[in-house]
Amino acid sequence: MARDGGVSCLRSSEMLNVGLGGMESPPLDLDEVHVLAVDDSLVDRIVIERLLRITSCKVTAVDSGWRALEFLGLDNEKASAELDRLKVDMIITDYCMPGMTGYELLKKIKESSSFRQVPVVIMSSENVLTRIDMCLEEGAEDFLLKPVKLADVKRLRNHLTGDVKLSNGNKRKLPEDSVTVHALLPPPPALTLSTDSSDSSPPLSPVEVFSSPLSSQEDDDVLTTSPGSSPTPEESMGRRQKMRSPGLD
Amino acid sequence: MDLVQMQKSLQDYTKSLFLEGVLDSQFLQLQQLQDESNPDFVSQVVTLFFQDSDRILNDLSLSLDQQVVDFKKVDPHVHQLKGSSSSIGAQRVKNACVVFRNFCEQQNVEACHRCLQQVKQEYYLVKNRLETLFKLEQQIVASGGMIPAMELGF
């Protein structure tokens, strides 16, 4: 059963792997996408973790901005040489969190030399345009409206795979002898959960039927205001339009 | 009751929960995340939701019972409950939380008390319904059957 605290794990067997500080674990396969998920809600953490894993991502889930910074090695002035090897391909964070908001975390990440290139996605239950603009302006990759759906995560994942393939030159290479800080990582998903499963999972038609009219699969639902809303600056509009369905072309 | 009947019962029961608005499409999203490698995912998440919500409702009762209600404490709790209920598809709980938050903003103590009652009512309802749903599923699995995928023809 999951336990609250720093890192959430679904299965008790995974708890054996918990604990920062030099536990030996195999270096990450460079082809695997590693996502750091940040959310103070336990329920949401479990869901986002599962959403990411079902789309073949490795996930580290933490419950606060502070723990995220700690994990990234950004919580003190001196950058740790070991932690500098950390491979994080995306950070997805809740906006509303006590202590440090997702926006504040975003800023800190973009200020860091090691991680400013890492795409940061913000999640929020509130569709507030000014909030969205603010995050995009600060360099957020995307903004997801909660509750997050599988289609949202798949879209992010596809986008990410594109980036990883194209810009492998930018990604830090893991030296063979480094010990990564992935003691927190759960074991890889079972073999049955291949990438294929995300495309040919159990009957999707009922869900597709149900979710297309209601969900915000198209970014339009996330981005549009109600009719007759106040005009937005062109710049923000442009940025938000750029967000639209990057993976749906 | 034979397996086919049990499966039909489960489908009808689940459908009724959607029709009554007790659950929304987000619950279906959770079901999509359940498979052979994670066969209990939905009930795991829902159980966490129950544990979390029990705690929050308790805290809310305490906060609202204070001589001077501190809305700075009350609102985050409601926000949290709104979020988690939304994440599992407990639509009526979520909606009740939305109303609750409005009254928190207005700092209307009496209305908030009523809202809390409403939220509790919806919560116990969805808790009861989901517990029944999981029992039905368990019966099917115990009889060697599979949980049918949701067919939504409505």
Side-chain angles (χ1 to χ4, degrees):
Chain A
M1 213 47 195
R3 83 169 181 180
D4 208 352
V7 179
S8 66
C9 307
L10 271 178
R11 293 177 283 277
S12 57
S13 57
E14 289 160 1
M15 284 170 66
L16 295 173
N17 291 331
V18 172
L20 278 170
M23 258 193 72
E24 275 202 30
S25 43
L28 257 194
D29 180 350
L30 284 177
D31 287 337
E32 283 177 317
V33 173
H34 177 217
V35 181
L36 174 64
V38 190
D39 201 317
D40 61 308
S41 157
L42 178 57
V43 169
D44 287 354
R45 246 188 347 268
I46 298 295
V47 174
I48 194 71
E49 196 173 6
R50 179 72 183 135
L51 281 167
L52 288 165
R53 288 211 223 159
I54 212 170
T55 48
S56 308
C57 296
K58 293 220 159 212
V59 188
T60 303
V62 298
D63 67 355
S64 71
W66 291 114
R67 287 210 209 264
L69 292 178
E70 193 179 39
F71 180 74
L72 295 170
L74 295 176
D75 58 335
N76 48 39
E77 295 305 317
K78 310 175 211 167
S80 155
E82 284 300 324
L83 290 170
D84 205 40
R85 313 273 193 227
L86 194 59
K87 178 182 176 284
V88 174
D89 298 297
M90 182 171 78
I91 296 165
I92 182 163
T93 177
D94 189 25
Y95 181 91
C96 265
M97 296 188 291
M100 187 190 297
T101 66
Y103 175 71
E104 286 159 354
L105 176 61
L106 166 69
K107 284 214 298 191
K108 288 211 156 45
I109 291 165
K110 291 303 169 189
E111 279 163 14
S112 83
S113 50
S114 334
F115 295 104
R116 70 160 61 103
Q117 305 277 31
V118 177
V120 180
V121 175
I122 311 282
M123 305 179 278
S124 175
S125 55
E126 280 144 351
N127 190 9
V128 179
L129 272 192
T130 46
R131 179 181 293 184
I132 299 174
D133 285 343
M134 206 171 68
C135 292
L136 292 178
E137 214 164 307
E138 201 57 44
E141 182 76 17
D142 209 332
F143 190 99
L144 295 181
L145 200 57
K146 279 182 159 184
V148 179
K149 298 172 175 18
L150 188 55
D152 297 327
V153 178
K154 278 187 187 177
R155 196 192 75 224
L156 285 180
R157 179 71 175 86
N158 292 339
H159 191 46
L160 210 51
T161 313
D163 280 350
V164 170
K165 279 193 175 131
L166 289 172
S167 60
N168 238 329
N170 288 345
K171 300 295 175 194
R172 242 179 314 287
K173 306 279 185 244
L174 277 173
E176 281 167 32
D177 57 353
S178 78
V179 174
T180 60
V181 190
H182 292 301
L184 296 167
L185 272 183
L191 279 174
T192 49
L193 205 63
S194 65
T195 349
D196 291 337
S197 70
S198 56
D199 292 321
S200 55
S201 45
L204 277 182
S205 39
V207 181
E208 302 283 51
V209 166
F210 208 103
S211 52
S212 37
L214 297 174
S215 78
S216 48
Q217 237 171 310
E218 310 297 323
D219 285 345
D220 293 7
D221 286 342
V222 176
L223 300 172
T224 52
T225 57
S226 49
S229 63
S230 52
T232 50
E234 273 178 27
E235 216 182 31
S236 310
M237 187 66 115
R239 229 177 267 122
R240 269 182 272 119
Q241 276 173 345
K242 197 176 159 246
M243 253 174 67
R244 289 185 191 201
S245 50
L248 294 177
D249 296 317
Chain B
M1 216 196 276
D2 74 359
L3 194 54
V4 175
Q5 276 178 314
M6 281 197 277
Q7 287 169 327
K8 176 90 180 31
S9 284
L10 174 63
Q11 284 208 303
D12 289 343
Y13 191 73
T14 313
K15 197 188 275 192
S16 72
L17 296 181
F18 285 102
L19 287 173
E20 287 168 38
V22 174
L23 294 178
D24 65 25
S25 61
Q26 188 61 21
F27 188 77
L28 291 176
Q29 285 285 321
L30 289 193
Q31 289 185 321
Q32 271 195 74
L33 302 180
Q34 186 162 288
D35 60 18
E36 309 81 49
S37 68
N38 282 265
D40 301 314
F41 179 71
V42 181
S43 63
Q44 275 181 350
V45 179
V46 169
T47 303
L48 282 174
F49 167 70
F50 291 157
Q51 287 169 355
D52 215 30
S53 304
D54 286 337
R55 183 184 49 83
I56 292 174
L57 288 171
N58 201 42
D59 289 343
L60 275 171
S61 296
L62 287 173
S63 297
L64 282 179
D65 277 343
Q66 299 301 308
Q67 282 271 4
V68 180
V69 175
D70 184 357
F71 286 98
K72 286 209 175 65
K73 283 216 173 90
V74 175
D75 186 72
H77 284 317
V78 186
H79 173 81
Q80 212 183 331
L81 185 56
K82 180 189 138 220
S84 55
S85 57
S86 162
S87 293
I88 67 143
Q91 188 175 245
R92 298 213 314 222
V93 176
K94 180 195 74 180
N95 290 341
C97 288
V98 171
V99 176
F100 197 157
R101 285 195 87 195
N102 288 336
F103 285 117
C104 279
E105 220 175 314
Q106 296 171 28
Q107 308 221 349
N108 185 333
V109 177
E110 209 183 288
C112 282
H113 273 289
R114 287 198 298 272
C115 285
L116 179 59
Q117 291 321 305
Q118 185 64 26
V119 169
K120 279 183 173 174
Q121 202 172 305
E122 296 299 349
Y123 170 67
Y124 292 130
L125 180 78
V126 72
K127 187 170 187 194
N128 178 275
R129 298 283 197 263
L130 285 175
E131 281 172 347
T132 303
L133 190 145
F134 293 139
K135 278 206 185 77
L136 285 172
E137 285 186 346
Q138 278 161 16
Q139 281 170 0
I140 291 172
V141 170
S143 303
M146 299 241 316
I147 314 293
M150 262 310 293
E151 272 166 50
L152 292 168
F154 59 96

